[in-house]
Amino acid sequence: MSDTIHRRRWAILAVLCLSLLMVIVDNTIVNVALPTLSADLDASITELQWVVDAYTLVFAALLLAFGHFGDRFGRKIALQLGLVIFAATSALAALATSVPQLVGARALMGIGAALVFPATLAILVNVFTDKRERAAAIGIWSAMTGAAVALGPVVGGYLLEHFSWGSIFLVNL
């Protein structure tokens, strides 16, 4: 089994980075959509703050607990469960017709993100056993985080220009 992991380590890193990208982009992509959400859902400033903060608050609150969940029950399971939750709740967010529905979907997305984020780094550390390769993989993983922060508003702006606001959540699927 370790030979299989060893041979596929760079492909595994690509999957981990894509998972990480999705979670981080979703933290920033919604900021560009706030004026559109305000107009389409008749959302107040307070409601818009909850649209943004529901995701971040739940994500931050559960991050350590779900890191432990991955350590205890399996990092692969945590990653897979997190991705399923994240995808399903992204669809719910895209289909929301009211602010409370959107806030609820964003909070649930935070649960999925809190499962995904620690699992990506934990799996990376297990897969890359060589110190030099591990350092390179962590560098790539870290760079993906920075790229995702910058990519969110750009992708969000593009999607809003060409599609409805729900597209910023459907991109996760």
Side-chain angles (χ1 to χ4, degrees):
M1 172 123 156
S2 64
D3 290 338
T4 303
I5 290 175
H6 182 71
R7 279 185 286 131
R8 297 175 47 198
R9 67 191 177 284
W10 296 107
I12 292 168
L13 178 62
V15 170
L16 296 176
C17 285
L18 184 60
S19 301
L20 178 70
L21 179 80
M22 186 173 61
V23 167
I24 301 297
V25 162
D26 208 75
N27 201 20
T28 59
I29 199 170
V30 76
N31 294 327
V32 177
L34 293 177
T36 306
L37 292 172
S38 178
D40 289 359
L41 296 178
D42 195 33
S44 69
I45 297 295
T46 302
E47 290 172 323
L48 292 174
Q49 286 177 319
W50 275 110
V51 169
V52 173
D53 293 343
Y55 177 83
T56 309
L57 183 63
V58 171
F59 173 70
L62 296 175
L63 195 58
L64 291 176
F66 285 162
H68 177 69
F69 173 88
D71 290 342
R72 183 168 179 154
F73 297 106
R75 294 162 182 136
K76 182 179 175 183
I77 289 171
L79 179 65
Q80 290 172 333
L81 179 61
L83 289 172
V84 167
I85 291 170
F86 195 82
T89 56
S90 292
L92 288 176
L95 299 173
T97 57
S98 69
V99 175
Q101 288 176 353
L102 183 55
V103 169
R106 293 276 295 158
L108 293 172
M109 287 171 76
I111 294 171
L115 280 162
V116 169
F117 191 85
T120 61
L121 186 57
I123 291 170
L124 182 152
V125 170
N126 284 341
V127 169
F128 287 89
T129 55
D130 179 73
K131 289 182 181 182
R132 294 184 85 174
E133 284 190 351
R134 180 182 293 166
I138 290 173
I140 292 167
W141 182 89
S142 299
M144 187 59 65
T145 302
V149 169
L151 197 59
V154 174
V155 171
Y158 176 82
L159 291 172
L160 288 171
E161 189 172 315
H162 298 293
F163 306 101
S164 72
W165 62 264
S167 65
I168 65 170
F169 302 113
L170 291 177
V171 74
N172 296 327
L173 302 177

